[in-house]
Amino acid sequence: SLCAAAAPNLSYQELKDLKKANVLHIDVRERWEIDRFGKIPESINIPLGELMEALQMDPMEFKAQYNQKMPSKSDPVVFSCLAGTRSKQALGFAMSLGFS
């Protein structure tokens, strides 16, 4: 299940279309879930329990930790998880930190 502020529920096809437009895709599943079920291409894994801290990191630290440029508060970001509950929580966390 996928979440973004403008569209709290996205289909897989909508995500594929967004990825063409340079949207950062953050998968908030746990690392063992990625190992078991596979990584979504071009997504970065930040487990939900780490997300608040990650989104408040120094950009250089974020890049070192996740091998990805840290999103700015206005960059398009999509969150995903297995069923949709955690991605909605992630969206709420990001918005509470000022991400639009």
Side-chain angles (χ1 to χ4, degrees), residues 54-99:
L55 293 177
Q56 297 177 79
M57 282 180 169
D58 173 79
M60 297 294 279
E61 188 180 348
F62 186 94
K63 174 95 171 135
Q65 174 86 20
Y66 299 108
N67 198 29
Q68 176 76 40
K69 178 184 168 284
M70 183 172 177
S72 75
K73 296 197 180 206
S74 61
D75 284 344
V77 178
V78 172
F79 298 102
S80 67
C81 65
L82 192 61
T85 303
R86 289 173 289 178
S87 58
K88 282 182 176 55
Q89 284 182 287
L91 178 62
F93 290 164
M95 292 177 78
S96 76
L97 291 172
F99 284 81

Side-chain angles (χ1 to χ4, degrees), residues 23-79:
V23 169
L24 178 62
H25 178 193
I26 300 176
D27 187 337
V28 296
R29 293 178 295 162
E30 296 298 322
R31 286 186 178 87
W32 69 264
E33 291 176 282
I34 303 293
D35 293 342
R36 183 170 177 194
F37 300 112
K39 181 181 187 306
I40 298 168
E42 299 171 25
S43 67
I44 62 169
N45 176 232
I46 305 175
L48 185 63
E50 294 176 22
L51 186 67
M52 286 290 278
E53 183 181 338
L55 293 177
Q56 297 177 79
M57 282 180 169
D58 173 79
M60 297 294 279
E61 188 180 348
F62 186 94
K63 174 95 171 135
Q65 174 86 20
Y66 299 108
N67 198 29
Q68 176 76 40
K69 178 184 168 284
M70 183 172 177
S72 75
K73 296 197 180 206
S74 61
D75 284 344
V77 178
V78 172
F79 298 102

Side-chain angles (χ1 to χ4, degrees), residues 15-27:
L15 175 64
K16 283 177 65 173
D17 293 343
L18 283 173
K19 282 181 171 257
K20 292 175 192 165
N22 260 354
V23 169
L24 178 62
H25 178 193
I26 300 176
D27 187 337

